[in-house]
Amino acid sequence: MTRRDTYVCGIDAAIDVVGGKWKVLILWALAEKPCRFGELRRGVPGVTEKVLTSHLRELEADGIVCREESSEGAVRRVTYALTSLGVSLNEALGPLGAWGREHLMSGRSAHHEVR
C-alpha cells in the first residue's frame, strides 16, 4: 500500500490515500453498501466516468476498495466494496465529517470565532 517512501506524519500518509475531492465521497458512498459502477456514479454527483474509474483503481491498489466480478449468463457484473482497511479509514474520517457539519454546514462561520 505504500505510495511514497517517506511521510512526515500519519496525516500526510492518510491524505496521500484519500487526497482530492472525490475519493472521500466514494468511500462515503461505499459505506452504505457495495455498489456497481453506475450506482457509484449516481451516488457521487459531478464525478466523471474517467475520474471515478481512476480513483477506484487507486483505492483498489491501496487495499481500500475491492472489486468483485460475477457473471449472470452473458452479463458481467462488477461490484465495488470497502475492505476492512477501507472501513477503518471511513471510521477515521467520521470525526472530520462531524467537524465539517458542525462548523461549515451549520450556517455559522467558524472563522469569525477567535480563540
Side-chain angles (χ1 to χ4, degrees):
M1 180 172 131
T2 303
R3 297 167 67 104
R4 295 191 328 219
D5 291 335
T6 60
Y7 290 104
V8 175
C9 65
I11 291 175
D12 183 27
I15 294 300
D16 194 28
V17 174
V18 296
K21 175 180 180 177
W22 302 111
K23 286 184 181 178
V24 292
L25 297 177
I26 293 166
L27 293 173
W28 179 77
L30 288 174
E32 303 258 331
K33 64 179 175 65
C35 295
R36 295 181 56 204
F37 186 86
E39 292 175 298
L40 271 176
R41 182 135 188 250
R42 288 186 298 277
V44 182
V47 70
T48 65
E49 267 187 46
K50 180 180 177 181
V51 169
L52 181 57
T53 298
S54 170
H55 285 345
L56 285 168
R57 285 182 182 149
E58 290 172 14
L59 290 167
E60 184 180 8
D62 288 335
I64 305 299
V65 169
C66 64
R67 180 180 189 270
E68 277 191 32
E69 290 186 38
S70 62
S71 295
E72 293 179 17
V75 178
R76 185 178 66 122
R77 298 190 185 275
V78 177
T79 304
Y80 296 91
L82 293 177
T83 63
S84 58
L85 192 59
V87 170
S88 71
L89 179 56
N90 251 1
E91 290 169 355
L93 291 170
L96 185 60
W99 184 91
R101 281 189 301 279
E102 180 180 341
H103 297 288
L104 303 176
M105 293 177 70
S106 67
R108 72 172 215 239
S109 181
H111 71 279
H112 291 296
E113 296 176 19
V114 177
R115 292 188 183 230

